[in-house]
């Protein structure tokens, strides 16, 4: 997970060099994140679900999807930094909790019901 730390640190430096931290309050970062998720979703909007992975395997769509995913990751990492949340650790904990809640022996090939 050192890649996330390196990304966070580089984003901090990028932000500080431009004096943009003043614009990076949680609400603004969340709105930017939602906007980037929307741009990513737009690339898939009219693709048939069963063909999406194949269509994204070729450029230029592959490149565009990667760019939008990078934007989503960047804003998420920046938001975690501003809120002082160790994103990698929380993700590890979440995965462990999900493994306990949804044992592979009980949920293999089946989606859990929403409760």
């Amino acid at each position: 997970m050192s890649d996330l730390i390196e990304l966070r640190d580089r984003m901090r430096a990028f932000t500080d060099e431009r004096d943009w931290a003043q614009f990076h309050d949680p609400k603004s970062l969340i709105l930017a994140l939602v906007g980037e998720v929307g741009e990513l979703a737009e690339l898939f909007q009219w693709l048939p679900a069963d063909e999406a992975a194949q269509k994204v395997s070729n450029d230029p769509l592959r490149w565009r999807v990667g760019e939008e995913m990078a934007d989503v990751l960047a804003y998420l990492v920046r938001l975690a930094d501003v809120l002082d949340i160790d994103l990698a650790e929380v993700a590890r904990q979440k995965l462990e909790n999900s493994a306990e809640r949804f044992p592979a022996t009980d949920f293999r090939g089946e989606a859990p019901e929403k409760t």
Side-chain angles (χ1 to χ4, degrees):
M1 294 297 174
S2 63
D3 288 346
L4 277 181
I5 292 169
E6 181 184 348
L7 179 58
R8 180 205 62 199
D9 291 347
R10 290 183 68 187
M11 292 182 65
R12 263 187 206 168
F14 182 90
T15 300
D16 290 345
E17 289 167 357
R18 289 154 183 80
D19 191 28
W20 285 354
Q22 62 184 318
F23 308 117
H24 289 185
D25 60 275
K27 179 197 68 101
S28 295
L29 289 168
I30 289 168
L31 291 174
L33 177 61
V34 167
E36 295 301 338
V37 169
E39 289 180 20
L40 177 60
E42 183 180 26
L43 296 174
F44 287 85
Q45 185 172 4
W46 304 115
L47 295 179
D50 59 342
E51 297 176 22
Q54 184 273 325
K55 289 190 180 285
V56 173
S57 68
N58 299 308
D59 285 325
L61 185 55
R62 180 178 178 78
W63 180 255
R64 289 285 301 123
V65 167
E67 284 184 319
E68 296 307 335
M69 290 174 68
D71 288 343
V72 169
L73 177 62
Y75 279 117
L76 188 60
V77 167
R78 184 71 185 128
L79 178 62
D81 188 24
V82 167
L83 295 175
D84 195 28
I85 292 173
D86 184 339
L87 194 56
E89 180 56 31
V90 173
R92 276 193 291 275
Q93 290 175 2
K94 180 75 174 174
L95 186 57
E96 288 175 16
N97 292 346
S98 293
E100 289 177 21
R101 286 181 57 207
F102 308 109
T105 54
D106 297 341
F107 288 90
R108 183 155 180 83
E110 294 188 29
E113 292 183 19
K114 263 310 207 197
T115 56

